[in-house]
Amino acid sequence: MAASSSFVAPAALGAPRRAWLTDLPVLLVAVVWGTSYLAAKGITTAHTVIAVLVLRFAVVVPVLVAAGWHRLRALSAAQWRGAATLGLILGGIFLLETYGVVRTSATNAGLIISLTMILTPLAEAAVTRRRPPRAFLAAAALSVTGVVLLTQGAGFTAPSPGDLLMLLAAVARTVHVLAMARIKAVRSADSLSLTTVQLGAAVAVFAVIACVPGTGAPPWAVALDFGPGEWAGLLFLSVFCTLFAFFVQMWAVRRTSPSRVSLLLGTEPLWAAAAGIALAGDRPGPLGLAGAILVLAGTSWGRRAVDKDAG
């Protein structure tokens, strides 16, 4: 019996090791997404939001089109319309997030946007008229309390405009998830093609806005003013936070469970807070720190409650 146990041990140890080889790239996606708020804040001002968004996705979309050209051509007219509709919503999300992160701290941005994990099941319950479990409602209350404390890190004051924009972005993310689930045409669409059309539609929105007088500096002027540091930040957002993140998700879901991928990506707000505190010098104060802990605990508890209810 002892000899048999020693014989099978290496195989038993190999499975967790292979799982971590899949988990590590997904965890890296959560890290780059968490630091993306700080990167966006570093290269964007209120006057250059639209231009930076045009440049960020203009780098990405041609690569996606080239990678999935044949599958794009196979989309039906209904799938194109559905994906374009989702792209318009996605454009609104990026506008709210980018304007929001300019007006608040990277720590607040990452933690407030994590409320999407709470808002989405609540919205879905309202649409389906199915009461969420009590544990989830308690987790939602914990998260909301955490956001209130987080935005009052320097004492009880009105939330900043950036905090409110990030909250609206979380609502818009929720709308995007629900729309993706309810637009029947996109359910059978190829993931790469769906993402390409969505990002293309979002870029079109940004390009149209950029042509309107008074909406900020034009993209070409911002590109010419960028130094090496700004270009590095832009390429980080384009290559790592978009291209790399998308392909890792596609790769990982085929090798592990969607729940496991979701759990790892759910650490994004933790990395956002860590980056804001360590690199940007964010000082949330005792109230803000307590709020951050409550947001992280509430979103984690809520995600587990939803998973348990679904199971």
Side-chain angles (χ1 to χ4, degrees):
M1 181 64 73
S4 176
S5 298
S6 63
F7 177 77
V8 299
L13 291 173
R17 189 176 295 117
R18 286 193 298 272
W20 272 106
L21 289 176
T22 302
D23 289 348
L24 284 175
V26 179
L27 190 61
L28 184 56
V29 169
V31 173
V32 298
W33 276 354
T35 55
S36 68
Y37 302 101
L38 188 59
K41 193 175 182 67
I43 66 171
T44 313
T45 67
H47 190 60
T48 63
V49 167
I50 303 299
V52 168
L53 287 172
V54 171
L55 293 172
R56 173 181 176 179
F57 293 106
V59 172
V60 172
V61 171
V63 178
L64 293 176
V65 170
W69 176 247
H70 294 295
R71 282 175 283 185
L72 274 173
R73 294 179 63 186
L75 291 178
S76 67
Q79 288 173 329
W80 274 94
R81 288 193 298 270
T85 300
L86 292 173
L88 296 178
I89 301 172
L90 191 64
I93 293 169
F94 280 115
L95 286 169
L96 289 167
E97 285 185 358
T98 311
Y99 275 114
V101 80
V102 168
R103 291 171 168 81
T104 189
S105 68
T107 300
N108 279 25
L111 290 167
I112 292 173
I113 203 68
S114 71
L115 286 179
T116 303
M117 289 184 283
I118 295 295
L119 294 174
T120 301
L122 285 175
E124 188 177 14
V127 170
T128 60
R129 298 184 179 180
R130 180 186 177 190
R131 182 180 176 85
R134 290 182 179 179
F136 176 80
L137 294 175
L142 193 68
S143 296
V144 171
T145 302
V147 168
V148 171
L149 292 177
L150 176 68
T151 58
Q152 309 302 314
F156 285 97
T157 59
S160 73
D163 295 331
L164 296 176
L165 287 170
M166 294 308 299
L167 184 58
L168 288 175
V171 173
R173 279 196 185 191
T174 299
V175 172
H176 184 261
V177 172
L178 292 181
M180 187 174 286
R182 298 182 72 84
I183 297 177
K184 295 180 180 180
V186 302
R187 293 179 187 173
S188 58
D190 171 70
S191 297
L192 176 60
S193 301
L194 182 61
T195 300
T196 303
V197 175
Q198 286 188 79
L199 292 181
V203 171
V205 170
F206 305 146
V208 169
I209 295 174
C211 295
V212 177
T215 54
W220 56 86
V222 172
L224 290 174
D225 286 342
F226 270 2
E230 287 83 3
W231 275 109
L234 182 70
L235 291 175
F236 172 76
L237 291 171
S238 299
V239 176
F240 288 96
C241 299
T242 307
L243 275 179
F244 169 76
F246 171 73
F247 284 112
V248 165
Q249 285 182 84
M250 286 187 63
W251 172 80
V253 167
R254 288 168 170 78
R255 287 163 176 78
T256 185
S257 69
S259 297
R260 191 177 182 90
V261 172
S262 176
L263 182 65
L264 292 167
L265 294 179
T267 63
E268 175 191 344
L270 177 63
W271 302 111
I277 293 170
L279 301 177
D282 292 347
R283 294 293 179 265
L287 282 177
L289 185 59
I293 293 171
L294 290 180
V295 170
L296 292 171
T299 52
S300 177
W301 183 16
R303 189 168 55 249
R304 289 198 303 270
V306 169
D307 290 341
K308 184 177 179 181
D309 184 58

